[in-house]
Amino acid sequence: MCCLNDEQSVQRTSSTADPVDAQIAIRNIIMEAPMVAVREVAQIPKKKSNYFYLVLGGVVFLIIFGIAITFYLGILPLPHKPQFILDEATIGGLKFSDPNLLTCNMQVTLSAKNPNINYEIFIEKLEARAFYQNQQITVAAELPTNYVSPKTVNVWTPFLYGNDVLIPPHEAANLIVDLNAGNLPLEIKVDGSLKWKVSSFTFGKYRLMVNCLADIPLGSQVNGTNFESGVKYVLDQPCKLRFEN
């Protein structure tokens, strides 16, 4: 409509103006109108184009970041479980008397090795107990919290006390047989929690359950059911390890 109005105005004035000048004016109007329209239309896709490239850049960044994380985790092997060993046990006092009362005081040496190269192991809330045929015979002993660095060994030496613990009749009969044979098969069980640490990141939290067999060779009896105290027994017994979420 703008072009038609301009053309009509030129036609009205063409009677008084030079015909050549009128034709030039009309041609200029016709040529400039499409250029203005093109410039106006061209500005709209430019704004959309900037938004598109912004979104595309964000998507590319997320893809590259995801690939980098995957590559970083991929080059690190999955962490291996720590290796627990019951190194030795020292009997401080061992007595079995009627009616089926057991006194067992001992100190054990327990070590944990971290076999990993890149991962630290954070072990906390550890408690150690002694069992005879699934019967707990000592109170729980708390073990200090520790970080086990890669390729290193951490050692605990808890004291386990159990005075006049009542043993059920069936287990008591088996205990008498074992003591008469000069042997005391115990289990040292340790419960706690474990986390992994790589660089500055700590992840995972598992319940840690360690079961160590302590087959203690008591030898000959001293004074009936009283046994020699203060004897150290080297066991070097690998322990079984189980995780729970």
Side-chain angles (χ1 to χ4, degrees):
M1 293 293 297
C2 177
C3 296
L4 293 176
N5 292 333
D6 292 339
E7 185 175 356
Q8 290 175 359
S9 61
V10 171
Q11 289 177 355
R12 284 195 301 267
T13 57
S14 61
S15 56
T16 57
D18 186 24
V20 175
D21 293 338
Q23 290 179 0
I24 293 174
I26 293 173
R27 186 172 63 252
N28 291 338
I29 293 173
I30 294 175
M31 292 178 65
E32 288 179 0
M35 293 178 65
V36 173
V38 169
R39 285 196 299 268
E40 292 178 353
V41 174
Q43 291 176 356
I44 298 175
K46 186 175 181 180
K47 295 181 180 179
K48 293 184 178 179
S49 177
N50 291 338
Y51 178 76
F52 171 76
Y53 285 118
L54 182 63
V55 173
L56 181 61
V59 172
V60 171
F61 172 78
L62 292 177
I63 292 174
I64 295 175
F65 182 75
I67 293 174
I69 293 297
T70 303
F71 177 76
Y72 178 71
L73 296 178
I75 62 176
L76 292 177
L78 294 176
H80 297 287
K81 297 178 181 179
Q83 300 167 352
F84 281 82
I85 295 178
L86 181 61
D87 298 302
E88 56 189 29
T90 302
I91 301 296
L94 180 62
K95 180 182 178 181
F96 185 63
S97 59
D98 291 333
N100 300 336
L101 297 178
L102 175 64
T103 294
C104 181
N105 299 321
M106 59 193 303
Q107 182 184 20
V108 297
T109 301
L110 182 72
S111 61
K113 178 181 179 181
N114 181 1
N116 299 284
I117 299 176
N118 301 300
Y119 296 94
E120 291 184 63
I121 300 176
F122 180 58
I123 303 176
E124 61 179 348
K125 300 178 181 178
L126 289 177
E127 292 184 342
R129 302 172 177 85
F131 289 78
Y132 175 77
Q133 293 188 354
N134 293 324
Q135 171 73 30
Q136 183 175 335
I137 61 174
T138 67
V139 296
E142 294 185 3
L143 279 63
T145 298
N146 271 295
Y147 269 109
V148 186
S149 300
K151 293 296 183 179
T152 60
V153 178
N154 193 78
V155 179
W156 297 272
T157 56
F159 288 91
L160 305 177
Y161 297 100
N163 295 316
D164 293 332
V165 178
L166 181 62
I167 305 299
H170 182 267
E171 285 77 9
N174 294 334
L175 180 59
I176 292 173
V177 172
D178 290 330
L179 293 177
N180 288 334
N183 188 56
L184 183 60
L186 300 179
E187 289 179 302
I188 308 300
K189 296 184 179 181
V190 180
D191 293 337
S193 65
L194 178 146
K195 297 178 183 177
W196 307 106
K197 183 180 179 183
V198 56
S199 185
S200 59
F201 300 99
T202 301
F203 64 95
K205 186 174 184 179
Y206 302 93
R207 182 187 174 190
L208 178 67
M209 291 168 287
V210 183
N211 189 358
C212 308
L213 298 179
D215 197 1
I216 300 175
L218 297 173
S220 61
Q221 299 183 21
V222 179
N223 189 20
T225 54
N226 292 297
F227 292 81
E228 186 178 359
S229 62
V231 179
K232 181 182 292 186
Y233 302 93
V234 178
L235 303 174
D236 196 23
Q237 177 66 42
C239 305
K240 294 181 180 179
L241 181 64
R242 189 160 59 93
F243 283 169
E244 284 185 1
N245 291 327

